Amino acid sequence: MKYDEIMVRYGELSTKGHNKKSFIDRLGSNVRKALHQYDQVKIHPNQDRLHVELNGTDAEPVMERLKQVFGIQNFSPSLRVEKDFDSVVEAAVAIFKEQVQGPTTFKVETKRADHKFPMGTFEMNKQLGGALLKAFPTDLSVDVHHPDITLRVEIRLNGIYLTSAKILGAGGLPVGTAGKGMMMLSGGIDSPVAAYLALKRGVSLEMVHFYSPPYTSEQALAKAKELTGKLAKYSGSIKFIQVPFTEIQETVKEKVPEGYLMTVQRRLMLRLACALAQKRAGLAVFNGESLGQVASQTMESMLAIEDVTTMPVLRPVLSYDKNEIIKIAEDIDTYDLSILPYEDCCTVFTPPSPKTKPNLKRARSYEARLDVEGLMQRALDGIEITEIHAGDEFLNQNQDVFAELL
Ligand SMILES: Nc1ncnc2c1ncn2[C@@H]1O[C@H](COP(=O)(O)OP(=O)(O)OP(=O)(O)O)[C@@H](O)[C@H]1O
């Protein structure tokens, strides 16, 4: 079927009161970015709907991209016909020919924006319904309560639009409407899922990744970048900030008792993420912690780590079970990358038995043995920022080394 337009319905946007206009503008620009490679496509973000005019572009790939844009509740590919009843019948029959295979129930639902059109909505429902029953005398019957197919007809000023499908969108809020956050992205399973969920609530993210060469490999860094490429599908390009963490980890290892290595390292990571947020207009730090999952993710641990900041530390997967997180990771296509066996900077320096219930005062006093300011300054001086686009690949740039590892 050669569709003319995709009609996009807003999700929670419709309830956002006086913010509605800025939300719709943002969604419009996010859709424009997502569809930028389709030159012919035109986007019209209106008060109640957004219209994607295809102008000859195939609807399928466009709809695949739309499924990844947050703030869309659902959308419908539509046909546009001239404003006469015979054209409407012809298009409706063509749509039904594709969908009716055996006994099928249906109803027609008409909306009329052009009140000069001679047929009312009730009359259109009735006459078009009758014409369809005539065209498919054995298979079709009407069911107004639970039809298999709902044929929606919209009589607008510039033509009549017909659609029979409602495809589920990604939901959530348009990325950018909730402000900016710094996402602590490791190479693991959880933080990419947390990033996805933050983007879904409208947060625009910058990734902060700590790496510790030579203890961690180029592959570990490339993997975190490639994960960012997977997430950029949902937000447009994302800035990836790599923070050198070797000096801090070596110093912490030297000066802090083994049971508190992890707590103190995490305090420094959080300090750095917050410092970056402050410099770069971020409003919060996000991480991939889930309550009780590992030693650093008990409430005692969170208390001892979060002590370093007053900035909100948000944990989108806090209450998720591991298998729920894995399910989302599979759906957003980060899982296979996340399970590649590259050492993360934390695993390298994780003691065999970190304190699951660290004491806040001790954590503070062990940290006080370090030159926190100097260590942080040198780490911040060494950051590198890469702008990563949807689907960018980094791992296969090192394919030879990669092959050796497998
Ligand atoms: N190298 C790193 N760079 C940036 N953030 C990190 C790094 N390591 C850990 N984090 C942050 O700390 C959180 C907890 O990490 P940890 O390794 O304890 O748990 P995890 O459950 O394995 O998380 P993940 O699966 O996201 O790695 C991560 O979700 C991430 O937000």
Side-chain angles (χ1 to χ4, degrees):
M1 180 83 42
K2 191 96 190 108
Y3 292 106
D4 299 293
E5 178 192 288
I6 298 165
M7 200 192 290
V8 175
R9 297 177 191 84
Y10 306 136
E12 284 179 48
L13 272 190
S14 2
T15 62
K16 293 289 167 194
H18 64 276
N19 283 334
K20 191 166 164 176
K21 186 176 174 326
S22 64
F23 277 59
I24 292 172
D25 289 348
R26 176 65 74 153
L27 183 66
S29 85
N30 291 354
V31 169
R32 233 168 245 128
K33 263 195 246 161
L35 300 179
H36 72 98
Q37 79 256 47
Y38 302 106
D39 300 338
Q40 299 306 314
V41 166
K42 297 233 156 13
I43 319 285
H44 308 284
N46 296 341
Q47 267 293 98
D48 54 341
R49 306 266 180 78
L50 179 145
H51 302 283
V52 177
E53 201 182 299
L54 290 164
N55 296 316
T57 307
D58 184 10
E60 280 306 319
V62 171
M63 293 196 288
E64 281 312 304
R65 288 297 288 125
L66 285 178
K67 282 185 195 162
Q68 294 162 341
V69 179
F70 293 124
I72 293 178
Q73 185 172 28
N74 56 50
F75 55 85
S76 301
S78 316
L79 282 181
R80 187 177 84 86
V81 297
E82 291 307 314
K83 284 162 78 173
D84 67 78
F85 183 65
D86 290 346
S87 307
V88 173
V89 173
E90 197 184 320
V93 169
I95 291 176
F96 273 51
K97 266 199 184 133
E98 281 198 350
Q99 293 186 19
V100 176
Q101 271 125 19
T104 306
T105 59
F106 81 105
K107 77 168 172 181
V108 179
E109 245 179 45
T110 306
K111 273 190 176 176
R112 191 172 63 153
D114 176 8
H115 293 285
K116 291 208 181 103
F117 188 73
M119 261 172 133
T121 53
F122 178 73
E123 204 185 340
M124 177 63 90
N125 290 346
K126 203 170 140 206
Q127 301 241 8
L128 182 56
L132 282 164
L133 286 169
K134 214 162 146 196
F136 300 87
T138 46
D139 286 339
L140 268 192
S141 59
V142 174
D143 178 347
V144 290
H145 300 296
H146 304 287
D148 298 322
I149 304 176
T150 301
L151 178 67
R152 293 184 174 80
V153 178
E154 281 197 21
I155 306 167
R156 293 192 221 150
L157 291 175
N158 67 339
I160 297 182
Y161 289 77
L162 289 96
T163 175
S164 66
K166 217 180 221 185
I167 297 161
L168 208 59
L173 297 169
V175 172
T177 52
K180 193 203 277 186
M182 308 315 261
M183 176 75 223
M184 295 175 64
L185 186 81
S186 71
I189 299 168
D190 301 350
S191 45
V193 171
Y196 166 81
L197 293 171
L199 293 170
K200 187 170 180 197
R201 291 313 297 166
V203 181
S204 89
L205 292 176
E206 292 191 348
M207 303 308 192
V208 179
H209 178 75
F210 300 95
Y211 72 117
S212 297
Y215 306 104
T216 58
S217 61
E218 280 294 313
Q219 276 72 29
L221 184 61
K223 173 180 160 184
K225 286 186 180 168
E226 197 153 318
L227 283 167
T228 303
K230 297 273 182 196
L231 291 158
K233 279 194 295 202
Y234 301 97
S235 81
S237 64
I238 298 181
K239 291 202 170 67
F240 179 93
I241 306 171
Q242 59 194 71
V243 186
F245 204 58
T246 315
E247 190 198 355
I248 293 181
Q249 285 194 303
E250 285 176 342
T251 316
V252 171
K253 178 131 177 93
E254 192 193 314
K255 305 220 159 128
V256 172
E258 195 169 271
Y260 277 79
L261 282 184
M262 200 232 8
T263 311
V264 175
Q265 273 179 48
R266 292 295 160 118
R267 284 172 66 96
L268 279 142
M269 274 191 185
L270 187 57
R271 281 183 188 282
L272 286 164
C274 292
L276 286 166
Q278 253 148 20
K279 272 193 186 172
R280 305 176 62 81
L283 299 168
V285 170
F286 287 76
N287 70 29
E289 290 175 345
S290 137
L291 192 60
Q293 201 182 81
V294 293
S296 59
Q297 300 175 17
T298 60
M299 285 202 279
E300 290 83 354
S301 230
M302 290 178 191
L303 185 79
I305 295 166
E306 232 177 282
D307 170 56
V308 300
T309 184
T310 53
M311 188 170 262
V313 179
L314 304 178
R315 300 174 171 84
V317 298
L318 183 86
S319 61
Y320 284 48
D321 292 347
K322 193 73 186 184
N323 53 6
E324 292 170 325
I325 298 174
I326 289 175
K327 166 80 179 60
I328 300 176
E330 285 170 342
D331 290 347
I332 62 172
D333 194 28
T334 54
Y335 183 72
D336 289 344
L337 259 179
S338 288
I339 59 173
L340 288 176
Y342 305 129
E343 288 291 6
D344 188 34
C345 75
C346 300
T347 33
V348 179
F349 284 90
T350 303
S353 50
K355 279 246 175 299
T356 53
K357 296 186 176 176
N359 173 287
L360 174 59
K361 277 194 187 141
R362 283 207 194 137
R364 282 182 184 161
S365 76
Y366 293 137
E367 190 191 62
R369 295 177 182 178
L370 314 173
D371 164 25
V372 172
E373 250 174 51
L375 286 168
M376 279 183 62
Q377 194 52 55
R378 287 188 290 282
L380 291 171
D381 288 344
I383 65 167
E384 274 176 59
I385 303 178
T386 315
E387 176 114 21
I388 296 182
H389 297 88
D392 279 357
E393 290 183 356
F394 297 87
L395 278 166
N396 62 6
Q397 289 175 355
N398 298 306
Q399 227 152 22
D400 296 345
V401 198
F402 180 42
E404 265 171 41
L405 265 162
L406 291 175

Short mmCIF file of all heavy atoms in Angstrom, two decimals, residues 183-192 208-211 262 266 269 286-290 293-294 296-297 322 344-346, ligand 1:
data_model
loop_
_atom_site.label_atom_id
_atom_site.label_comp_id
_atom_site.label_asym_id
_atom_site.label_seq_id
_atom_site.Cartn_x
_atom_site.Cartn_y
_atom_site.Cartn_z
N MET A 183 24.83 10.71 32.58
CA MET A 183 24.59 9.29 32.79
C MET A 183 25.91 8.59 33.04
O MET A 183 26.82 8.65 32.20
CB MET A 183 23.94 8.72 31.51
CG MET A 183 23.71 7.23 31.54
SD MET A 183 22.31 6.82 32.59
CE MET A 183 22.97 5.40 33.48
N MET A 184 26.05 7.94 34.19
CA MET A 184 27.26 7.16 34.44
C MET A 184 27.12 5.84 33.70
O MET A 184 26.37 4.95 34.12
CB MET A 184 27.43 6.93 35.95
CG MET A 184 27.68 8.24 36.69
SD MET A 184 27.74 8.05 38.47
CE MET A 184 29.16 7.01 38.67
N LEU A 185 27.81 5.74 32.58
CA LEU A 185 27.64 4.58 31.71
C LEU A 185 28.84 3.66 31.81
O LEU A 185 29.95 4.03 31.43
CB LEU A 185 27.47 5.04 30.25
CG LEU A 185 27.15 3.92 29.27
CD1 LEU A 185 25.66 3.59 29.31
CD2 LEU A 185 27.55 4.30 27.85
N SER A 186 28.62 2.45 32.31
CA SER A 186 29.70 1.45 32.32
C SER A 186 29.54 0.64 31.04
O SER A 186 28.78 1.02 30.17
CB SER A 186 29.55 0.56 33.55
OG SER A 186 28.43 -0.28 33.38
N GLY A 187 30.20 -0.49 30.95
CA GLY A 187 29.97 -1.34 29.79
C GLY A 187 29.00 -2.46 30.13
O GLY A 187 28.84 -3.41 29.37
N GLY A 188 28.35 -2.38 31.31
CA GLY A 188 27.51 -3.49 31.77
C GLY A 188 26.12 -3.49 31.18
O GLY A 188 25.82 -2.75 30.24
N ILE A 189 25.27 -4.33 31.76
CA ILE A 189 23.91 -4.49 31.24
C ILE A 189 23.00 -3.37 31.76
O ILE A 189 22.13 -2.87 31.04
CB ILE A 189 23.32 -5.86 31.69
CG1 ILE A 189 24.17 -7.00 31.14
CG2 ILE A 189 21.87 -6.01 31.23
CD1 ILE A 189 23.85 -8.36 31.75
N ASP A 190 23.22 -2.95 33.00
CA ASP A 190 22.22 -2.12 33.67
C ASP A 190 22.23 -0.65 33.25
O ASP A 190 21.18 -0.04 33.07
CB ASP A 190 22.41 -2.19 35.19
CG ASP A 190 22.29 -3.62 35.70
OD1 ASP A 190 21.88 -4.48 34.91
OD2 ASP A 190 22.62 -3.86 36.87
N SER A 191 23.43 -0.07 33.15
CA SER A 191 23.42 1.38 32.90
C SER A 191 22.87 1.75 31.51
O SER A 191 22.19 2.78 31.41
CB SER A 191 24.79 2.02 33.18
OG SER A 191 25.83 1.28 32.66
N PRO A 192 23.11 0.96 30.45
CA PRO A 192 22.45 1.33 29.19
C PRO A 192 20.92 1.28 29.30
O PRO A 192 20.23 2.12 28.72
CB PRO A 192 22.95 0.28 28.19
CG PRO A 192 24.23 -0.22 28.77
CD PRO A 192 24.06 -0.16 30.25
N VAL A 208 28.94 9.67 30.87
CA VAL A 208 30.23 9.81 31.56
C VAL A 208 30.77 8.40 31.77
O VAL A 208 30.10 7.56 32.40
CB VAL A 208 30.05 10.51 32.92
CG1 VAL A 208 31.40 10.62 33.64
CG2 VAL A 208 29.43 11.89 32.75
N HIS A 209 31.95 8.14 31.23
CA HIS A 209 32.52 6.79 31.34
C HIS A 209 33.93 6.87 31.93
O HIS A 209 34.78 7.61 31.42
CB HIS A 209 32.56 6.12 29.96
CG HIS A 209 33.19 4.76 29.99
ND1 HIS A 209 32.54 3.65 30.49
CD2 HIS A 209 34.42 4.35 29.61
CE1 HIS A 209 33.35 2.61 30.42
NE2 HIS A 209 34.49 2.99 29.88
N PHE A 210 34.16 6.11 33.01
CA PHE A 210 35.48 6.09 33.64
C PHE A 210 36.27 4.92 33.09
O PHE A 210 35.75 3.80 33.03
CB PHE A 210 35.32 5.95 35.16
CG PHE A 210 34.53 7.09 35.75
CD1 PHE A 210 33.17 6.97 35.97
CD2 PHE A 210 35.16 8.29 36.04
CE1 PHE A 210 32.43 8.04 36.48
CE2 PHE A 210 34.43 9.37 36.55
CZ PHE A 210 33.06 9.23 36.77
N TYR A 211 37.49 5.18 32.68
CA TYR A 211 38.30 4.07 32.15
C TYR A 211 39.70 4.15 32.75
O TYR A 211 40.17 5.23 33.14
CB TYR A 211 38.31 4.10 30.61
CG TYR A 211 39.13 5.22 30.01
CD1 TYR A 211 40.24 4.94 29.24
CD2 TYR A 211 38.78 6.54 30.23
CE1 TYR A 211 40.99 5.97 28.69
CE2 TYR A 211 39.53 7.58 29.68
CZ TYR A 211 40.64 7.27 28.92
OH TYR A 211 41.38 8.29 28.39
N MET A 262 35.94 0.02 47.23
CA MET A 262 34.84 0.27 46.31
C MET A 262 34.06 1.52 46.70
O MET A 262 33.76 2.37 45.86
CB MET A 262 33.94 -0.96 46.30
CG MET A 262 33.10 -1.00 45.10
SD MET A 262 31.41 -1.22 45.50
CE MET A 262 31.24 -1.10 47.21
N ARG A 266 33.80 4.82 44.37
CA ARG A 266 32.48 5.29 43.91
C ARG A 266 32.21 6.73 44.34
O ARG A 266 31.56 7.48 43.64
CB ARG A 266 31.37 4.39 44.47
CG ARG A 266 31.36 2.99 43.92
CD ARG A 266 31.05 3.05 42.44
NE ARG A 266 31.51 1.83 41.82
CZ ARG A 266 30.72 0.96 41.21
NH1 ARG A 266 29.44 1.19 41.13
NH2 ARG A 266 31.22 -0.12 40.67
N MET A 269 33.99 8.74 41.79
CA MET A 269 33.26 8.74 40.50
C MET A 269 32.09 9.71 40.56
O MET A 269 31.87 10.48 39.63
CB MET A 269 32.67 7.34 40.24
CG MET A 269 33.59 6.38 39.59
SD MET A 269 32.57 4.95 39.11
CE MET A 269 33.85 3.90 38.51
N PHE A 286 22.66 10.28 36.68
CA PHE A 286 21.91 9.01 36.58
C PHE A 286 22.90 7.86 36.66
O PHE A 286 24.02 7.95 36.16
CB PHE A 286 21.18 8.94 35.24
CG PHE A 286 19.99 9.84 35.16
CD1 PHE A 286 20.15 11.21 34.97
CD2 PHE A 286 18.70 9.34 35.26
CE1 PHE A 286 19.05 12.06 34.90
CE2 PHE A 286 17.60 10.17 35.20
CZ PHE A 286 17.76 11.53 35.01
N ASN A 287 22.48 6.75 37.27
CA ASN A 287 23.30 5.54 37.20
C ASN A 287 22.43 4.30 37.03
O ASN A 287 21.20 4.39 36.99
CB ASN A 287 24.26 5.44 38.40
CG ASN A 287 23.55 5.15 39.70
OD1 ASN A 287 22.49 4.51 39.70
ND2 ASN A 287 24.11 5.61 40.80
N GLY A 288 23.08 3.15 36.92
CA GLY A 288 22.35 1.91 36.62
C GLY A 288 22.21 1.02 37.85
O GLY A 288 22.14 -0.20 37.71
N GLU A 289 22.16 1.62 39.03
CA GLU A 289 22.06 0.80 40.23
C GLU A 289 20.65 0.29 40.44
O GLU A 289 19.68 1.00 40.22
CB GLU A 289 22.50 1.60 41.46
CG GLU A 289 23.99 1.86 41.46
CD GLU A 289 24.46 2.75 42.60
OE1 GLU A 289 23.61 3.41 43.24
OE2 GLU A 289 25.67 2.80 42.83
N SER A 290 20.61 -0.96 40.95
CA SER A 290 19.31 -1.55 41.28
C SER A 290 19.43 -2.05 42.72
O SER A 290 20.44 -2.65 43.08
CB SER A 290 19.02 -2.64 40.26
OG SER A 290 18.52 -3.78 40.84
N GLN A 293 21.30 -5.30 44.41
CA GLN A 293 21.85 -6.23 43.42
C GLN A 293 23.27 -6.68 43.77
O GLN A 293 23.56 -7.86 43.71
CB GLN A 293 21.82 -5.58 42.05
CG GLN A 293 21.87 -6.60 40.95
CD GLN A 293 21.89 -5.92 39.58
OE1 GLN A 293 22.92 -5.47 39.12
NE2 GLN A 293 20.74 -5.85 38.96
N VAL A 294 24.12 -5.75 44.09
CA VAL A 294 25.49 -6.10 44.49
C VAL A 294 25.90 -5.23 45.69
O VAL A 294 25.14 -4.36 46.11
CB VAL A 294 26.52 -5.90 43.34
CG1 VAL A 294 26.29 -6.86 42.21
CG2 VAL A 294 26.49 -4.47 42.82
N SER A 296 27.66 -2.66 46.25
CA SER A 296 27.62 -1.19 46.24
C SER A 296 26.19 -0.69 46.12
O SER A 296 25.95 0.51 46.08
CB SER A 296 28.43 -0.67 45.07
OG SER A 296 27.89 -1.18 43.88
N GLN A 297 25.25 -1.59 46.03
CA GLN A 297 23.88 -1.16 45.75
C GLN A 297 22.92 -1.42 46.91
O GLN A 297 21.73 -1.60 46.69
CB GLN A 297 23.43 -1.78 44.43
CG GLN A 297 24.36 -1.32 43.31
CD GLN A 297 24.09 -1.94 41.96
OE1 GLN A 297 23.04 -2.50 41.73
NE2 GLN A 297 25.06 -1.87 41.07
N LYS A 322 16.80 -8.33 37.91
CA LYS A 322 17.80 -8.48 36.83
C LYS A 322 17.15 -8.98 35.53
O LYS A 322 17.46 -8.48 34.46
CB LYS A 322 18.90 -9.46 37.28
CG LYS A 322 20.13 -9.45 36.39
CD LYS A 322 20.94 -8.19 36.60
CE LYS A 322 22.09 -8.06 35.64
NZ LYS A 322 22.92 -6.89 35.91
N ASP A 344 35.87 -3.98 33.02
CA ASP A 344 35.46 -2.63 33.33
C ASP A 344 36.43 -2.09 34.39
O ASP A 344 37.06 -2.87 35.11
CB ASP A 344 34.04 -2.69 33.88
CG ASP A 344 33.44 -1.32 34.07
OD1 ASP A 344 33.75 -0.45 33.26
OD2 ASP A 344 32.68 -1.14 35.02
N CYS A 345 36.51 -0.76 34.52
CA CYS A 345 37.49 -0.23 35.47
C CYS A 345 37.15 -0.62 36.91
O CYS A 345 38.02 -0.69 37.76
CB CYS A 345 37.62 1.27 35.33
SG CYS A 345 36.28 2.18 36.02
N CYS A 346 35.88 -0.90 37.16
CA CYS A 346 35.51 -1.25 38.55
C CYS A 346 35.85 -2.68 38.85
O CYS A 346 36.37 -2.99 39.92
CB CYS A 346 34.03 -1.04 38.76
SG CYS A 346 33.63 0.63 38.45
N1 LIG B 1 33.41 2.56 34.40
C1 LIG B 1 32.28 3.20 34.72
N2 LIG B 1 31.98 4.36 34.13
C2 LIG B 1 30.84 5.03 34.40
N3 LIG B 1 29.94 4.59 35.28
C3 LIG B 1 30.19 3.43 35.91
C4 LIG B 1 31.36 2.68 35.67
N4 LIG B 1 31.30 1.57 36.46
C5 LIG B 1 30.15 1.64 37.14
N5 LIG B 1 29.46 2.75 36.84
C6 LIG B 1 28.15 3.20 37.35
O1 LIG B 1 27.88 2.58 38.58
C7 LIG B 1 26.72 1.73 38.46
C8 LIG B 1 26.91 0.49 39.27
O2 LIG B 1 27.99 -0.24 38.76
P1 LIG B 1 28.28 -1.74 39.17
O3 LIG B 1 29.41 -2.21 38.36
O4 LIG B 1 28.35 -1.81 40.65
O5 LIG B 1 26.93 -2.44 38.90
P2 LIG B 1 26.26 -3.20 37.68
O6 LIG B 1 24.95 -3.66 38.23
O7 LIG B 1 27.18 -4.20 37.10
O8 LIG B 1 25.95 -2.02 36.65
P3 LIG B 1 26.20 -2.04 35.08
O9 LIG B 1 25.54 -3.29 34.60
O10 LIG B 1 25.56 -0.78 34.59
O11 LIG B 1 27.69 -2.04 34.91
C9 LIG B 1 26.62 1.45 36.98
O12 LIG B 1 25.32 1.09 36.61
C10 LIG B 1 27.06 2.75 36.39
O13 LIG B 1 26.00 3.69 36.41
#
